[in-house]
Amino acid sequence: MLDLDKKYDELIDNLISNVPFKPEIGLVLGSGLGEFAEKTKIIKTIPTNELIGYPESTVEGHKGFIHFAEVNNKKLMIYQGRIHPYEGYNISECVLPIFIAYKLGVNKIILTNAAGGLNHLQPADLMLITSMISFNIKKQLGELIGLASTQARNNFFNFPSNRINDIIRNAALKEEVVLKEGVYWYSQGPSYETPAEIRMVHKLGGDAVGMSTVHEAIFASALGMEIGAISCITNYAAGISANKLNHQEVMETAELVKEKFEKLIKEIIQLM
Ligand code: HPA
């Protein structure tokens, strides 16, 4: 991690002197889900373009804001906007939000994303991520964090965190939000998958496909943080319906699930 310490030294020092409180929980809002931030008591917002060296978020629906906010008196750090490998950033840039959260003392993180669904999943479903398939990104992360170290390997056993997953299930029950469960398949992008690739994902055990989250999850768990992750299924994965995939559909479906997503996340935070 020394590389990151050196690379982002100034950015993190600046941020530490500007934060209004020490956050307990981190929340990363995925495509189209950013509006949740407006449902919280925002104490301070830091636009990421004011942070020297912070990569620019280039995707529609991803604002570049870090909010310091409260929900039911819990202190949160909320990323409205994330950095994806498919935008051309390298992995040390993509994990910066998690690294910053770690440096500020966050040890629990909820990651959210938009994903294409297959198997038992349909657009507008929320899916608790029970496991992730991500062969294609581990090597780069391994170089960054030494995934081969015993500590990183041990932390991997609880990834995502069973404790947080139980909290998420309980929150869904309490709020009467239907929450499906499944395995998230990391797709490198930048294009959506082909129907043939989705048939492969189906055969190999994936239930939802997306281009984010795993790098953050792996990095956070290697740092010893507890993570939980939720996908908002915004579209059928390629080839499952006759429709052509597009980012507009992703944004429109995310808009439809807004209410149940907000209820669920608020309750999760309450229970964490
Ligand atoms: N594939 C990959 N990423 C996605 C999708 C998809 O179908 N939907 C939203 N993000």
Side-chain angles (χ1 to χ4, degrees), residues 25-234:
I25 301 170
L27 173 66
V28 179
L29 297 171
S31 286
L33 303 169
E35 269 184 48
F36 175 79
E38 286 149 34
K39 297 284 157 28
T40 67
K41 185 171 158 205
I42 296 179
I43 309 293
K44 183 164 184 170
T45 296
I46 299 181
T48 53
N49 62 9
E50 288 179 7
L51 298 171
I52 294 163
Y54 197 100
E56 201 182 322
S57 190
T58 63
V59 187
E60 191 199 333
H62 281 267
K63 291 190 178 156
F65 292 135
I66 305 175
H67 302 287
F68 290 84
E70 289 176 357
V71 172
N72 300 323
N73 290 325
K74 300 261 171 118
K75 296 196 164 25
L76 259 76
M77 173 176 196
I78 304 176
Y79 286 95
Q80 195 176 6
R82 65 151 46 92
I83 307 155
H84 305 81
Y86 72 76
E87 292 173 83
Y89 292 114
N90 65 40
I91 215 73
S92 64
E93 292 166 311
C94 295
V95 296
L96 179 59
I98 306 300
F99 189 61
I100 292 174
Y102 170 73
K103 285 288 182 179
L104 294 184
V106 168
N107 58 11
K108 293 177 282 215
I109 296 217
I110 298 292
L111 305 169
T112 68
N113 60 47
L118 55 150
N119 301 338
H120 58 299
L121 296 158
Q122 290 166 348
D125 279 344
L126 293 177
M127 181 189 95
L128 172 66
I129 297 180
T130 53
S131 195
M132 304 183 192
I133 301 179
S134 55
F135 308 115
N136 40 4
I137 205 169
K138 281 194 184 142
K139 185 166 179 294
Q140 300 160 56
L141 274 165
E143 283 158 10
L144 186 69
I145 53 182
L147 267 186
S149 76
T150 309
Q151 187 203 345
R153 280 201 227 187
N154 287 350
N155 285 337
F156 229 71
F157 280 115
N158 195 14
F159 159 77
S161 152
N162 294 330
R163 192 185 76 87
I164 301 231
N165 277 3
D166 282 342
I167 287 176
I168 295 174
R169 291 184 183 106
N170 285 336
L173 279 175
K174 202 156 167 226
E175 289 299 321
E176 299 182 348
V177 168
V178 176
L179 180 67
K180 295 193 175 170
E181 301 200 2
V183 173
Y184 181 88
W185 179 285
Y186 173 73
S187 238
Q188 238 167 1
S191 63
Y192 290 118
E193 302 69 33
T194 64
E197 284 166 347
I198 293 301
R199 286 194 293 276
M200 176 193 76
V201 171
H202 163 72
K203 285 197 174 134
L204 296 184
D207 298 304
V209 281
M211 306 178 205
S212 68
T213 307
V214 291
H215 55 291
E216 298 157 355
I218 293 172
F219 186 69
S221 56
L223 290 174
M225 296 160 111
E226 276 188 296
I227 71 123
I230 297 167
S231 287
C232 164
I233 306 299
T234 50

